[in-house]
Amino acid sequence: MLTTKKKKIQKYLDQKAGDNKCAFDDLLSDYLDGSLKENLESVKMARVEIYIDWHDDIKCIGIQGRYKEYYIDLQISPNEFSVSFDLDEPDEDVIYPLESKEQVYSVLSETVKKL
């Protein structure tokens, strides 16, 4: 029986108790309800593409998009996230511990302000 990735993520979130949810879980909820993309676009990120790796051994939210002429790449795992940007290929990332979903949006906002 095939289960869609979104259904697997929703099942995972349903199994977590309210107080046991972490920042990664909050971002997954944002992904499911569409607010993740909306929040990324609110900091002027364009052409947003979101990829979810959802396997037993790895769970990751991958985000790619543009800000003006820059390519931006975010990789979010349960404990940390990274942000990279470049005019051609964003491959030098800065890694942060994942403390809250607001932190991800704030770091992204501060990053694009510097570009």
Side-chain angles (χ1 to χ4, degrees), residues 67-82:
Y67 176 76
K68 297 183 180 178
E69 65 273 6
Y70 288 89
Y71 292 93
I72 297 178
D73 183 71
L74 284 93
Q75 297 295 317
I76 306 167
S77 65
N79 298 316
E80 65 184 20
F81 71 100
S82 65

Side-chain angles (χ1 to χ4, degrees), residues 22-38:
C22 63
F24 184 74
D25 300 338
D26 291 338
L27 289 162
L28 288 171
S29 293
D30 284 1
Y31 165 71
L32 290 178
D33 71 15
S35 61
L36 177 60
K37 188 171 184 177
E38 291 172 7

Side-chain angles (χ1 to χ4, degrees), residues 17-106:
D19 291 339
N20 289 334
K21 286 190 176 181
C22 63
F24 184 74
D25 300 338
D26 291 338
L27 289 162
L28 288 171
S29 293
D30 284 1
Y31 165 71
L32 290 178
D33 71 15
S35 61
L36 177 60
K37 188 171 184 177
E38 291 172 7
N39 288 328
L40 296 169
E41 291 171 343
S42 75
V43 295
K44 308 299 183 217
M45 195 167 165
R47 294 195 233 161
V48 175
E49 299 282 338
I50 302 171
Y51 306 93
I52 305 290
D53 287 322
W54 198 259
H55 306 285
D56 291 338
D57 58 338
I58 186 168
K59 291 179 178 25
C60 180
I61 303 170
I63 302 168
Q64 295 178 338
R66 298 286 304 256
Y67 176 76
K68 297 183 180 178
E69 65 273 6
Y70 288 89
Y71 292 93
I72 297 178
D73 183 71
L74 284 93
Q75 297 295 317
I76 306 167
S77 65
N79 298 316
E80 65 184 20
F81 71 100
S82 65
V83 178
S84 59
F85 59 90
D86 194 76
L87 293 171
D88 294 318
E89 184 71 32
D91 55 7
E92 292 186 29
D93 53 353
V94 178
I95 300 172
Y96 303 87
L98 181 59
E99 297 167 358
S100 70
K101 72 176 185 178
E102 293 82 11
Q103 174 201 22
V104 174
Y105 301 131
S106 175

Side-chain angles (χ1 to χ4, degrees), residues 6-23:
K6 285 188 175 185
K7 286 183 181 179
K8 288 180 183 180
I9 293 168
Q10 187 61 59
K11 182 179 177 185
Y12 162 82
L13 291 172
D14 289 344
Q15 292 173 345
K16 302 277 281 209
D19 291 339
N20 289 334
K21 286 190 176 181
C22 63

